[in-house]
Amino acid sequence: QQTIKQKIANQAAVLRKLTSAETRCMDKWFNDVRSGDINNLEGRAAAYYWKNLFAQEIEHFKRGREEDAPNHLLNYGYAILRAIIARALVSSGLLPTLGIHHHNRYNAYCLADDIMEPYRPYVDQLVIQILHKHKEVSVLTKELKMELLGIPMLDVVMNGKRSPLMIAAQQTTASLAKCFSGEIRHISYPEL
């Protein structure tokens, strides 16, 4: 529940910051998320988010692994993010294989896929900045890869303090480990 709520909150923040899209529905979905997300509010929020995120830059944008640009930039950015989260999980003594929501015996990073969700909007925001900076992004060039390799150093705010995303990821996974051990009840996530 905490993970999905923070993902929706961060997506709404990106929409408010970078688009003219109305976000009251996102705020409502954020408030209505229950444990296990039985009403699939994460899915509703995602559909609305992707419909509006690139609306000014790309007509009829469709998010998908095999879809047109800038999906390849998103995919590359998410792969970097996944590696950051997996590394942080391991350094916090957790196994990235054992997920909370994601379950797939062929996926060695189910927990990383769960925990990275609220961080995805940071990648999305960077991709939009790249689109505004470059006229041509249909090919994943060395220059574009270099910009995406800056993801670990993106500024994030967690608990009112600014830090690089890589450090925030470590704080998130450390808080998750404490949740699992019963020391605390809330996972620390960055807020956009």
Side-chain angles (χ1 to χ4, degrees):
Q1 179 183 11
Q2 294 171 48
T3 302
I4 292 167
K5 286 183 82 158
Q6 195 58 55
K7 178 183 181 183
I8 293 171
N10 287 349
Q11 287 176 328
V14 168
L15 287 179
R16 278 191 291 276
K17 185 176 179 182
L18 300 175
T19 73
S20 59
E22 176 57 54
T23 60
R24 280 185 293 213
C25 58
M26 299 284 282
D27 297 335
K28 177 161 179 26
W29 293 326
F30 166 85
N31 288 318
D32 291 346
V33 172
R34 300 291 171 250
S35 184
D37 191 23
I38 57 173
N39 295 319
N40 192 31
L41 297 177
E42 179 184 19
R44 285 192 220 170
Y48 184 80
Y49 178 72
W50 290 117
K51 178 183 173 192
N52 290 284
L53 184 63
F54 293 108
Q56 295 172 348
E57 290 83 8
I58 302 162
E59 193 174 341
H60 307 298
F61 173 78
K62 185 175 180 185
R63 173 68 188 124
R65 192 175 295 253
E66 303 296 327
E67 299 295 332
D68 294 334
N71 280 288
H72 62 306
L73 300 177
L74 293 166
N75 297 340
Y76 194 80
Y78 294 154
I80 293 166
L81 179 59
R82 186 187 208 202
I84 293 164
I85 300 296
R87 180 176 185 249
L89 286 166
V90 170
S91 69
S92 293
L94 300 170
L95 294 172
T97 305
L98 304 174
I100 298 167
H101 176 72
H102 289 90
H103 301 284
N104 182 338
R105 68 182 190 183
Y106 301 108
N107 179 359
Y109 299 101
C110 289
L111 186 56
D113 292 344
D114 287 329
I115 300 306
M116 71 185 267
E117 292 297 336
Y119 285 89
R120 286 178 182 262
Y122 290 95
V123 174
D124 305 339
Q125 187 173 258
L126 177 60
V127 168
I128 287 180
Q129 291 168 356
I130 289 171
L131 288 176
H132 290 167
K133 183 177 174 184
H134 299 276
K135 291 183 183 201
E136 176 55 43
V137 297
S138 62
V139 176
L140 189 58
T141 63
K142 184 177 178 180
E143 181 182 2
L144 294 175
K145 287 180 183 179
M146 290 300 293
E147 289 191 47
L148 290 165
L149 285 170
I151 290 170
M153 300 309 296
L154 289 174
D155 273 344
V156 302
V157 175
M158 187 181 304
N159 302 322
K161 296 180 182 174
R162 187 172 300 282
S163 70
L165 185 143
M166 189 166 60
I167 302 301
Q170 185 61 55
Q171 293 169 346
T172 295
T173 60
S175 71
L176 177 64
K178 287 181 181 178
C179 285
F180 285 151
S181 70
E183 295 174 54
I184 60 174
R185 293 180 50 101
H186 295 283
I187 304 170
S188 294
Y189 280 119
E191 299 171 7
L192 263 163

